[in-house]
Amino acid sequence: MTGTGTPRPGRRPRRPGHRWAALAAALALLAGCGVSAEDRPRVIEPPGGPHPMATTPPAEPTGQLTETLCFVRDERLVRVDRRVPSPSTPDTQIRYLVEGPTAGDRDAGLATALTGASRITGVRITGREALVDVADGLAGTGRTDEMLAFGQVVCTLTARPDVDLVSFLHDSRRLGVPRADGSLSTGPLTVSDYPVAR
């Protein structure tokens, strides 16, 4: 009969101390690979490149902006969005109005009441008011086509982000301009003075 202190043949004796030593070594190794405690939280920067969940709003096509011009259909003002290569000056927008709608817009029944580039001789912006110099061709007679011509200018210029009011001058004096209700106004005009369809 084998005593309790005698190991069995073919098996190594167990050493309890060896197991604890190996566990302690593994814990020490893990502690060395960890992040030490800090007094204050630290911002962790994400790796370079776009975040997989980040979204970017679609940009306007290169060199293309949208501007609003106002033309006429059935004796009513109509806003038209037009693509332009760069922001237009007020004088350029008046030229667009004089040139009239595109062929496609004409097919849709649009026209312009502004005829002849000499009728408006210049535009300048003071504060948020556009001052439009008018030649003799637009003398404030109150005709419907004249009202629509002034309305086109007011509607177009007040669609700009830098203009709220429009006044018309003739020989450096404020001109009486027909509004949609037929009355003449020498004061600044807004788009609310002319009904606009879309």
Side-chain angles (χ1 to χ4, degrees), residues 57-182:
E60 286 278 353
T62 303
Q64 291 290 313
L65 299 171
T66 301
E67 288 185 341
T68 298
L69 301 176
C70 295
F71 292 105
V72 177
R73 180 195 291 132
D74 299 329
E75 297 190 352
R76 294 194 65 186
L77 298 175
V78 178
R79 288 189 178 100
V80 175
D81 291 333
R82 177 177 288 187
R83 306 288 281 179
V84 293
S86 59
S88 301
T89 65
D91 289 304
T92 300
Q93 289 179 308
I94 297 301
R95 178 169 56 82
Y96 290 154
L97 296 182
V98 173
E99 290 173 353
T102 63
D105 289 334
R106 288 196 300 271
D107 291 341
L110 294 177
T112 183
L114 278 171
T115 55
S118 62
R119 289 190 170 190
I120 293 178
T121 59
V123 183
R124 61 190 183 278
I125 297 176
T126 302
R128 298 193 62 81
E129 181 180 9
L131 302 175
V132 182
D133 292 313
V134 177
D136 291 333
L138 290 174
T141 62
R143 296 195 313 263
T144 298
D145 59 341
E146 195 171 77
M147 180 273 293
L148 290 172
F150 284 114
Q152 278 186 254
V153 175
V154 173
C155 176
T156 298
L157 293 182
T158 55
R160 295 174 57 90
D162 55 348
V163 174
D164 294 326
L165 306 169
V166 179
S167 294
F168 294 87
L169 307 178
H170 179 62
D171 291 337
S172 300
R173 294 188 301 178
R174 288 184 179 266
L175 179 67
V177 174
R179 295 185 293 193
D181 61 5

Side-chain angles (χ1 to χ4, degrees), residues 35-36 38-45:
V35 178
S36 59
E38 298 181 1
D39 294 336
R40 293 181 298 176
R42 184 161 50 110
V43 177
I44 304 299
E45 295 292 339

